Amino acid sequence: MSDVYEAELVVERREPAADGVLALTLRHPLGEPLPAWEPGAHVDVLLGPDLERQYSLCGDPSDRSAWRIGVLREPDGRGGSAYVHEQLRQGAKVRVRGPRNHFALHPAPRYRFVAGGIGITPLLPMLAAAEAAGAEWTLLYGGRSRDSMAFTEELARYGDRVTVAPQDETGLLDLGPVLDALPGGTLVYCCGPGPLLDAVEERCPAGALHIERFQPRQQQTDEDAEFEVELAQSGRTLTVAPGVSVLDTVRAAGIEVLYSCSEGTCGTCETDVLDGTPEHRDSVLSAEERAAGETMMICVSRCRGRKLVLDL
């Protein structure tokens, strides 16, 4: 994992994007170019010990000089957004790791984008990419109120392809006109709160939908059972006890692995599976990726059977 980019960046610009939302522009202090990224990518922002958060890149992928993120202040959050809003002033330095992308924009003739609240951030560069590719696309963007919806001024340049629908003006998003009877070849990209993603999932045909979750999916899982993990790179075999994650087991054995959210939403701990069948409990992988069983998120997923062989 040593090839993962990590550096201390400087907050070059800090500006409000909406009520409760800050847009931060980050640059390398020596002006070095930042790693390339594609629409849908996010970075880990290391705010302090045990305080690490993931934010989508929402600037211009062609601009290697800076990264932009949008951060919603969450009053009932766990402290990350409060730290950003209160401590990351212009000129402040912060460690950033990444980027990584589990929400990539795939080529298609038509797109339907659906955003809820701060879920607009990963979609912003997707809109620009779809526009540049000459694809047909629309965006349905909902939020609590117009003042709380970030980047609406940037979206105005797209005209009537963007529908801004504040809940206090129009009620809950009307998904029917956007998602019912999708033309063949249309891909749907959606990011936002869990109930919105669940509603979109119910309407979309298999294979058409790509989503990104900020919170873990509520799901039924099998009762934990003990199993073994063989670590192919070291030849060690460890026992994973009920109620203990693969991640915690390998770390307790002194093996360093990258991880972040520990709840199966960020993808940082994704690990190649060389043998065995994972029991997927993450909120990152698609149905096709789960069925393939080639990788797993070791912070939450387990084993269907007695043993996994992992590329660790």
Side-chain angles (χ1 to χ4, degrees), residues 1-6 44 97-98 100 233 255-259 267-272 298 311-312:
M1 306 296 286
S2 59
D3 58 342
V4 176
Y5 179 83
E6 183 176 323
D44 304 326
R97 183 173 62 221
R100 59 177 53 86
Q233 294 181 25
I255 297 163
E256 292 296 322
V257 292
L258 284 180
Y259 70 99
T268 304
C269 69
E270 184 174 14
T271 301
D272 288 343
I298 60 173
D311 189 16
L312 290 173

Side-chain angles (χ1 to χ4, degrees), residues 163-186:
T163 300
V164 176
Q167 186 174 346
D168 62 353
E169 297 178 21
T170 63
L172 294 176
L173 288 181
D174 185 3
L175 298 174
V178 177
L179 300 180
D180 290 350
L182 287 174
T186 303

Side-chain angles (χ1 to χ4, degrees), residues 278-294:
E279 181 201 317
H280 296 290
R281 298 184 179 185
D282 66 275
S283 301
V284 177
L285 297 176
S286 67
E288 294 79 9
E289 289 168 330
R290 289 180 172 218
E294 296 175 352

Side-chain angles (χ1 to χ4, degrees), residues 19-275:
D19 286 350
V21 180
L22 278 178
L24 301 182
T25 300
L26 308 174
R27 292 187 186 271
H28 193 280
L30 300 179
E32 296 178 5
L34 300 176
W37 60 281
E38 295 183 351
H42 70 266
V43 293
D44 304 326
V45 181
L46 286 61
L47 301 169
D50 300 318
L51 191 61
E52 184 175 322
R53 297 292 182 266
Q54 291 73 45
Y55 298 110
S56 298
L57 293 173
C58 60
D60 179 2
S62 68
D63 182 4
R64 297 281 301 278
S65 69
W67 284 342
R68 185 178 70 164
I69 59 174
V71 181
L72 169 68
R73 176 150 193 170
E74 301 182 72
D76 299 324
R78 296 174 295 163
S81 66
Y83 184 97
V84 171
H85 278 248
E86 295 170 10
Q87 304 295 328
L88 289 190
R89 303 295 178 184
Q90 188 167 328
K93 293 183 178 180
V94 63
R95 292 202 71 79
V96 181
R97 183 173 62 221
R100 59 177 53 86
N101 198 341
H102 289 279
F103 192 42
L105 184 69
H106 297 282
R110 285 171 296 278
Y111 298 97
R112 298 294 178 261
F113 298 103
V114 181
I118 198 63
I120 189 62
T121 51
L123 300 187
L124 286 175
M126 292 188 181
L127 304 183
E131 181 79 356
E136 178 213 322
W137 64 269
T138 62
L139 166 67
L140 178 61
Y141 179 20
R144 295 188 312 277
S145 66
R146 195 173 295 272
D147 289 344
S148 73
M149 298 172 68
F151 305 112
T152 52
E153 291 185 4
E154 290 185 23
L155 294 170
R157 66 189 178 100
Y158 295 121
D160 60 6
R161 279 171 293 178
V162 173
T163 300
V164 176
Q167 186 174 346
D168 62 353
E169 297 178 21
T170 63
L172 294 176
L173 288 181
D174 185 3
L175 298 174
V178 177
L179 300 180
D180 290 350
L182 287 174
T186 303
L187 294 184
V188 178
Y189 280 80
C190 180
C191 186
L196 172 63
L197 301 185
D198 294 341
V200 171
E201 273 190 314
E202 290 178 4
R203 287 183 175 268
C204 281
L209 178 62
H210 299 267
I211 63 176
E212 182 168 61
R213 292 182 179 269
F214 295 140
Q215 300 294 331
R217 184 199 309 264
Q218 298 298 314
Q219 53 190 314
Q220 295 292 325
T221 57
D222 296 340
E223 184 176 346
D224 285 358
E226 181 179 284
F227 62 95
E228 292 184 337
V229 288
E230 179 183 331
L231 310 181
Q233 294 181 25
S234 65
R236 299 177 65 182
T237 297
L238 306 175
T239 299
V240 182
V244 180
S245 70
V246 177
L247 173 65
D248 288 343
T249 301
V250 299
R251 292 186 68 235
I255 297 163
E256 292 296 322
V257 292
L258 284 180
Y259 70 99
S260 181
C261 72
S262 296
E263 57 185 15
T265 59
C266 74
T268 304
C269 69
E270 184 174 14
T271 301
D272 288 343
V273 178
L274 305 180
D275 195 22

